[in-house]
Amino acid sequence: IYKVLKHIVIGSTYANAFENLSEAHIVSTIKNYEGFIDPLPALKGKTDQWKKPGLIPGIVQLMLLVACIQKNKRINRQVLINTIAESPEINDYEFGLFRHPSRLEQLAILSIRQKSINPPFVPSARIMIAALPLAFKNKTFETLVQDIISVITLFTKDIGTIAGSILIAGGTAVLIW
């Protein structure tokens, strides 16, 4: 479990700074690929889009949170909600410690903090990995599916996203069980 999560964190941390930039654009503007690469030259002066290299993106923070709050092989949805709601705000940044959340993640964080959870029917491939750690606990497939639905429906009611999450975490579970 540790090795899988570690590699997800390393890969996403490295790639996070280049989100939304094309491969061709990165290749034409970045000449040195050693260590953590600062994407600032590739942003063409759009410093508002700059992401500090080496920081864990919000979606991976959510995934790690899901990994940490499993108890007795099950996810406790209320503990997840409380943890997100009580996460500290940082310098008037309304999403607190969650770095660069997608619009769907932003809506979920705000609705959880306002105690009005009503996720939209919006598809999201990105949110699917939040449920991945659920695959690492020894449980039945039925309880795995229930836990995945419990996590993903905090963010979206989109059936395709829920099904994709079940495929990813369920497929991972089949490989490691």
Side-chain angles (χ1 to χ4, degrees):
I1 298 170
Y2 169 76
K3 287 181 182 181
V4 172
L5 294 176
K6 179 177 89 171
H7 286 92
I8 289 171
V9 169
I10 290 170
S12 63
T13 301
Y14 190 78
N16 184 50
F18 297 97
E19 186 176 3
N20 300 322
L21 299 176
S22 72
E23 179 183 353
H25 183 67
I26 294 169
V27 169
S28 70
T29 55
I30 307 292
K31 303 301 178 199
N32 182 1
Y33 288 94
E34 294 180 15
F36 281 106
I37 304 163
D38 189 348
L40 193 57
L43 297 177
K44 297 181 180 178
K46 298 176 187 169
T47 56
D48 60 310
Q49 295 178 8
W50 183 78
K51 295 178 182 176
K52 185 175 182 179
L55 294 181
I56 300 172
I59 188 61
V60 176
Q61 291 172 299
L62 286 167
M63 182 195 72
L64 292 173
L65 188 59
V66 168
C68 291
I69 65 170
Q70 292 184 78
K71 186 175 181 179
N72 300 326
K73 302 179 184 177
R74 296 296 307 270
I75 190 76
N76 185 324
R77 180 180 164 109
Q78 194 56 51
V79 171
L80 179 59
I81 290 168
N82 293 344
T83 305
I84 292 171
E86 296 167 9
S87 64
E89 291 192 21
I90 302 171
N91 298 334
D92 299 324
Y93 178 65
E94 62 189 335
F95 309 112
L97 55 86
F98 298 102
R99 296 184 190 101
H100 309 292
S102 69
R103 184 68 186 132
L104 188 63
E105 294 158 39
Q106 291 173 5
L107 292 171
I109 292 166
L110 293 177
S111 72
I112 288 169
R113 286 192 171 161
Q114 296 165 358
K115 297 180 178 24
S116 62
I117 301 169
N118 187 19
F121 287 89
V122 175
S124 173
R126 177 178 157 116
I127 203 68
M128 291 180 196
I129 69 161
L132 185 61
L134 300 171
F136 300 122
K137 295 290 184 171
N138 187 12
K139 57 182 84 180
T140 67
F141 189 73
E142 291 79 17
T143 59
L144 173 62
V145 169
Q146 291 169 359
D147 285 354
I148 292 168
I149 292 169
S150 178
V151 169
I152 298 302
T153 56
L154 285 174
F155 300 91
T156 181
K157 294 178 187 172
D158 176 65
I159 194 69
T161 302
I162 296 167
S165 301
I166 293 168
L167 286 170
I168 291 169
T172 301
V174 167
L175 291 173
I176 61 174
W177 290 354

